[in-house]
């Protein structure tokens, strides 16, 4: 069963779960920018000027503040406020051993010196959580603040499921686990998707058959002694444990993360004693985390269609040439537009009202040349 098949659960539609009067991460009015601003604004300024990003970031903080277990709440709060890779300290002195074990299992395909992203400090994140993109530069939410909007939506989806299971079947899941796991599921995207000098973001390597951010994030949670049920749910964001061939993925990712973190996955409570499955019986919270992380199903194709549309507008209305499209000139232009209106918001306009309406919205954000 493919990951996307789980989207057939229609209970997500129309569900509303929020403890605050926040908007749905959308804004109808924008700050006006000039082409000169495209060269001078920082990613932090773009994220802070975006109503969608600011709303999402506030929503995430509110949900984390509502975690009942104080130890979990404090740890999750610390991570989102400073997602520094403390795992580097845990690997210190055993990096060659870690690389060798990952290599023997066929889980790493880069050279030893590229095993981890650059600029990693165990004490300070290379960028704030709220400025990171939601994925690679050609993929979903690829703008300053995209990680916040992606995580915010996933949290809302997960909490809708949490409520729907309670309403429909009369039982409560562990809300702390769901909120913590979904909040942390992409915790190392600020490290992996660092902004580059040309305005694009760093290319992601593969680790244990998935994007490296996923395994590194689970390893980070283990290093920070996040409870195993949260780490398991976090690992299941990319695949569910409902069938043996699917469960093999989170099992593999937990093993790889345990190698990096320097723990025994069975002793930590991450795997069953035979190391072939997750601990039995498998938690429903892991499934909810997986289901909640399905924003990408729409967000990835939206990005695929919106980026060429932005290229067309940049050349038609802003004096750019085709040769500019892989340079800082265009990258910063699209970073401003996408961060302020979001890729999803712009695609919605184009899909409902056409490309001319999209052009007008872009003009509302950046003054045409």
């Amino acid at each position: 069963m493919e990951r996307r098949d789980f989207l057939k659960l229609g209970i997500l539609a129309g569900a509303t779960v929020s403890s605050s009067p926040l908007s749905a991460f959308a804004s109808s009015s924008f700050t006006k920018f000039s082409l000169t601003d495209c060269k001078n604004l920082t990613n932090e300024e773009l994220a802070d000027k975006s109503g969608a990003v600011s709303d999402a970031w506030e929503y995430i903080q509110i949900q984390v503040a509502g975690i009942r277990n104080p130890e979990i709440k404090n740890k999750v709060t610390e991570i989102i406020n400073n997602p520094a890779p403390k795992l580097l300290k845990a690997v210190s002195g055993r990096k060659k051993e870690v690389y060798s074990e990952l290599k023997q299992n066929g889980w790493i395909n880069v050279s030893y010196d590229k095993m981890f992203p650059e600029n990693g400090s165990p004490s300070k994140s290379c960028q704030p959580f709220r400025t990171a993109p939601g994925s690679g530069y050609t993929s979903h939410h690829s703008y300053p603040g995209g990680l916040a909007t992606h995580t915010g939506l996933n949290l809302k989806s997960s909490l809708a499921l949490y409520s729907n299971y309670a309403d429909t079947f009369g039982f409560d899941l562990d809300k702390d686990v769901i909120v913590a796991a979904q909040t942390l599921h992409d915790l190392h995207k600020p490290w992996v998707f660092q902004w580059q000098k040309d305005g694009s973001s760093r290319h992601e390597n593969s680790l244990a058959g998935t994007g490296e951010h996923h395994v590194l994030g689970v390893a980070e949670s283990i290093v920070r002694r996040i409870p195993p049920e949260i780490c398991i749910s976090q690992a299941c964001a990319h695949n569910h444990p409902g069938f043996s061939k699917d469960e093999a993925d989170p099992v593999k990712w937990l093993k790889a993360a345990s190698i990096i973190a320097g723990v025994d996955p069975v002793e930590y409570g991450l795997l069953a004693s035979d190391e072939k499955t997750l601990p039995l019986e498998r938690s429903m919270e892991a499934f909810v985390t997986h289901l909640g992380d399905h924003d990408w199903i729409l967000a990835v194709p939206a990005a695929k269609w919106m980026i060429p549309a932005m290229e067309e507008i940049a050349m038609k209305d802003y004096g750019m040439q085709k040769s500019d499209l892989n340079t800082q000139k265009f990258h910063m232009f699209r970073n401003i537009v996408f961060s302020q209106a979001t890729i999803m918001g712009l695609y919605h306009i184009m899909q409902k009202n056409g490309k001319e309406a999209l052009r007008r919205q872009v003009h509302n954000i950046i003054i045409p040349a």
Side-chain angles (χ1 to χ4, degrees), residues 98-344:
V98 168
Y99 181 82
S100 177
E101 194 166 355
L102 292 172
K103 190 76 171 176
Q104 286 175 5
N105 282 286
W107 292 341
I108 193 165
N109 56 9
V110 296
S111 60
Y112 171 77
D113 63 313
K114 296 185 182 299
M115 179 167 62
F116 299 122
E118 60 275 12
N119 302 322
S121 165
S123 60
K124 184 173 174 56
S125 175
C126 58
Q127 69 171 313
F129 185 103
R130 74 183 191 283
T131 68
S135 192
Y137 204 57
T138 60
S139 192
H140 65 82
H141 309 288
S142 49
Y143 50 84
L147 177 57
T149 56
H150 172 64
T151 303
L153 179 61
N154 284 354
L155 260 175
K156 290 178 76 73
S157 297
S158 296
L159 289 172
L161 281 166
Y162 164 81
S163 293
N164 289 341
Y165 276 118
D167 293 344
T168 304
F169 299 111
F171 58 77
D172 290 330
L173 302 178
D174 191 326
K175 187 178 179 182
D176 282 0
V177 171
I178 292 169
V179 171
Q182 196 60 262
T183 300
L184 299 178
H185 88 283
D186 281 340
L187 77 88
H188 268 327
K189 283 187 174 178
W191 185 27
V192 168
F193 295 117
Q194 297 173 51
W195 292 108
Q196 307 296 292
K197 289 182 179 180
D198 70 352
S200 67
S201 60
R202 175 185 175 273
H203 173 76
E204 181 178 34
N205 296 316
S206 175
L207 182 57
T210 192
E212 63 186 329
H213 76 271
H214 188 62
V215 174
L216 294 177
V218 176
E220 186 67 38
S221 290
I222 297 170
V223 167
R224 294 185 186 236
R225 309 307 292 179
I226 298 290
E229 58 270 22
I230 296 174
C231 298
I232 292 166
S233 294
Q234 183 183 348
C236 286
H238 280 200
N239 207 353
H240 63 90
F243 303 93
S244 296
K245 69 180 182 66
D246 294 298
E247 186 173 22
D249 281 338
V251 167
K252 174 177 59 177
W253 300 327
L254 287 163
K255 286 181 178 179
S258 296
I259 291 169
I260 294 169
V263 303
D264 183 309
V266 174
E267 289 183 3
Y268 198 92
L270 302 171
L271 298 176
S273 58
D274 62 2
E275 296 191 25
K276 294 181 179 179
T277 71
L278 302 182
L280 305 177
E281 296 293 329
R282 299 163 184 87
S283 80
M284 291 187 179
E285 289 81 4
F287 284 93
V288 169
T289 303
H290 173 71
L291 289 166
D293 186 29
H294 272 74
D295 166 50
W296 66 275
I297 293 290
L298 174 56
V300 170
K304 179 181 71 174
W305 297 319
M306 280 309 310
I307 293 171
M310 285 297 299
E311 293 175 341
E312 182 180 325
I313 292 171
M315 290 189 288
K316 184 174 183 179
D317 298 347
Y318 293 89
M320 295 193 198
Q321 305 298 316
K322 195 167 185 178
S323 59
D324 293 322
L325 299 182
N326 287 318
T327 69
Q328 184 185 38
K329 186 175 183 179
F330 174 71
H331 293 162
M332 294 306 296
F333 169 82
R334 63 166 266 194
N335 286 355
I336 287 181
V337 175
F338 285 168
S339 66
Q340 302 310 298
T342 75
I343 292 174
M344 295 295 288

